[in-house]
């Protein structure tokens, strides 16, 4: 057994982003990180008009190697001034040495000093130590989310040609092509309006809060953004009735990740989501993707059923856990 290594805690800095991405990827290899994506996310949070709170710490050896990291953040899409999201991760080779407990104690003291009334955190269902770690600190389960994965070798979009059809008058178009037709700003504003409406009923642990157009645009600046992988169902009046987003995976060029797939309330139960998912998967095939990943709340029965029909298969679930709760 490897002898415990001495460690100390300090605030993370932007100079840590490369090593931090490597650490977080080792902690959660299902969703690896890059320094580029971490830098973009931090900039978006720090510049948000709500003045979101962002704090990060690392546990390091005397020679500077990162053994663990912790963060506490606020997100604009589900915002309350007393709600925080916390994360603690320890490198698999450094667990069982008190690093996680030290980081968690630091986060707890920080949040208590800020008067936090609700904290959200989580772990995968196949990580009993992580779930016990949270339960022992007063967290309780509130929701679960599957990673659903499609092996593209098992999918033939042409087999769906007669079943994945948009209602009369609607057409499927990529964001890139809509930008060519209307101009980039007009296309983005149509996309934004449809995205706002489609996200209204996305399962989450608290009510969605408004997202400004400026904040929405930061999503399109992400290095993972793929304009030709954003499929929109557009009405004759130019409104976006449904959408399905594909994003690059910066660690694996043969993997694509699904963002939001959703339909505005007026157009639901007319097959729009199926048509756009198939159109997006045709794009994935043309791009040479080996896998397409998506995430679904276990309570979202319609989307789970749709993905199952298309051949997506669930992996282990992420267990969202909560300590305290702000008023509804």
């Amino acid at each position: 057994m490897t002898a415990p290594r001495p460690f100390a805690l300090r605030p993370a800095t932007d100079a840590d982003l490369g090593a931090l991405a490597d650490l977080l990827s080792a902690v959660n290899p299902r969703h690896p990180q890059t320094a580029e994506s971490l830098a973009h996310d931090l900039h978006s949070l720090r510049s948000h008009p709500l003045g979101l709170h962002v704090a990060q710490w690392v546990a390091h050896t005397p020679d500077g190697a990162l053994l663990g990291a912790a963060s506490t953040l606020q997100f604009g899409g589900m915002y309350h001034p007393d709600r925080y999201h916390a994360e603690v991760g320890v490198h698999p080779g450094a667990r069982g040495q008190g690093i996680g407990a030290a980081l968690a104690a630091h986060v707890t003291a920080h949040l208590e000093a800020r008067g936090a009334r609700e904290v959200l955190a989580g772990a995968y269902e196949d990580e009993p130590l992580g779930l016990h770690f949270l339960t022992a600190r007063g967290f309780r389960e509130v929701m679960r989310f599957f990673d659903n994965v499609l092996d593209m070798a098992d999918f033939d979009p042409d087999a769906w040609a007669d079943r994945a059809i948009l209602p009369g008058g609607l057409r499927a178009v990529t964001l890139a092509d809509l930008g060519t037709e209307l101009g980039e700003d007009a296309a983005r504003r149509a996309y934004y309006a449809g995205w706002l409406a489609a996200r209204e009923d996305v399962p989450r642990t608290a009510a969605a809060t408004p997202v400004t157009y400026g904040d929405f645009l930061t999503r399109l600046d992400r290095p993972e953004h793929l304009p030709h992988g954003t499929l929109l169902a557009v009405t004759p009046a130019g409104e976006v009735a449904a959408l399905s987003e594909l994003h690059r995976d910066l660690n694996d060029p043969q993997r694509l990740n699904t963002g939001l797939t959703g339909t505005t309330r007026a157009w639901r139960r007319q097959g729009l989501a199926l048509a756009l998912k198939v159109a997006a998967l045709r794009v994935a095939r043309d791009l040479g993707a080996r896998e397409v990943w998506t995430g679904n709340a276990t309570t979202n029965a319609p989307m789970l059923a749709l993905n199952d029909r298309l051949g997506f298969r669930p992996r282990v679930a992420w267990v969202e856990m909560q300590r305290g709760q702000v008023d509804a």
Side-chain angles (χ1 to χ4, degrees):
M1 181 176 178
T2 304
R5 287 175 282 181
F7 67 90
L9 307 185
R10 63 167 173 81
T13 71
D14 288 351
D16 293 314
L17 289 178
L20 189 57
D22 291 341
L23 170 68
L24 296 177
S25 297
V27 171
N28 184 6
R30 297 175 175 99
H31 293 281
Q33 301 278 0
T34 67
E36 187 180 12
S37 60
L38 289 178
H40 180 276
D41 291 347
L42 285 171
H43 174 74
S44 298
L45 292 169
R46 291 167 178 164
S47 61
H48 197 281
L50 287 173
L52 303 176
H53 179 68
V54 183
Q56 294 179 298
W57 302 270
V58 293
H60 63 95
T61 62
D63 63 1
L66 299 192
L67 302 176
S71 63
T72 177
L73 313 168
Q74 291 176 317
F75 295 119
M78 200 175 80
Y79 177 74
H80 186 284
D82 297 325
R83 174 183 294 126
Y84 296 82
H85 301 255
E87 182 176 351
V88 173
V90 178
H91 192 283
R95 291 173 183 167
Q97 301 178 28
I99 298 168
L103 287 166
H106 197 81
V107 168
T108 298
H110 180 82
L111 291 173
E112 287 177 351
R114 292 189 62 83
R117 294 164 53 203
E118 177 180 324
V119 184
L120 294 165
Y124 282 99
E125 62 181 350
D126 64 349
E127 298 174 339
L129 293 179
L131 294 171
H132 175 74
F133 185 91
L134 290 169
T135 301
R137 286 161 176 79
F139 286 83
R140 63 181 181 87
E141 178 179 336
V142 288
M143 190 172 283
R144 293 191 177 212
F145 300 87
F146 282 124
D147 279 330
N148 263 339
V149 182
L150 174 66
D151 184 338
M152 289 299 297
D154 299 331
F155 181 76
D156 177 11
D158 296 331
W160 290 85
D162 296 332
R163 290 174 283 174
I165 301 173
L166 289 172
L170 272 67
R171 62 192 178 102
V173 62
T174 70
L175 176 63
D177 289 340
L178 191 63
T180 300
E181 294 177 17
L182 305 180
E184 185 175 86
D185 184 63
R188 287 181 166 190
R189 288 187 180 276
Y191 174 25
Y192 168 63
W195 181 85
L196 278 183
R199 74 187 281 266
E200 289 180 352
D201 298 318
V202 172
R204 50 175 59 86
T205 56
T209 49
V211 175
T212 66
Y213 180 59
D215 190 25
F216 172 77
L217 289 180
T218 65
R219 301 175 76 251
L220 310 190
D221 291 333
R222 289 185 60 86
E224 298 92 342
H225 177 57
L226 190 62
H228 283 94
T230 300
L231 277 295
L232 309 172
V234 180
T235 70
E239 297 176 340
V240 171
L243 57 101
S244 187
E245 303 168 330
L246 286 177
H247 304 305
R248 297 182 184 91
D249 189 289
L250 300 183
N251 287 277
D252 184 348
Q254 291 188 301
R255 167 176 163 177
L256 294 172
N257 298 309
T258 304
L260 176 65
T261 295
T263 303
T264 62
R265 289 177 179 175
W267 287 96
R268 288 181 186 163
R269 298 181 180 85
Q270 298 184 54
L272 276 68
L274 173 61
L276 288 187
K277 287 280 284 191
V278 171
L281 291 172
R282 183 173 281 108
V283 170
R285 179 197 63 182
D286 294 344
L287 290 173
R290 181 188 70 256
E291 293 179 334
V292 175
W293 288 55
T294 188
N296 301 117
T298 57
T299 57
N300 192 351
M303 189 56 68
L304 285 170
L306 171 58
N307 285 328
D308 182 70
R309 286 177 62 195
L310 292 171
F312 285 84
R313 295 296 175 256
R315 304 286 176 91
V316 296
W318 173 262
V319 183
E320 187 85 350
M321 303 185 76
Q322 178 189 67
R323 183 173 65 200
Q325 187 173 15
V326 299
D327 297 333

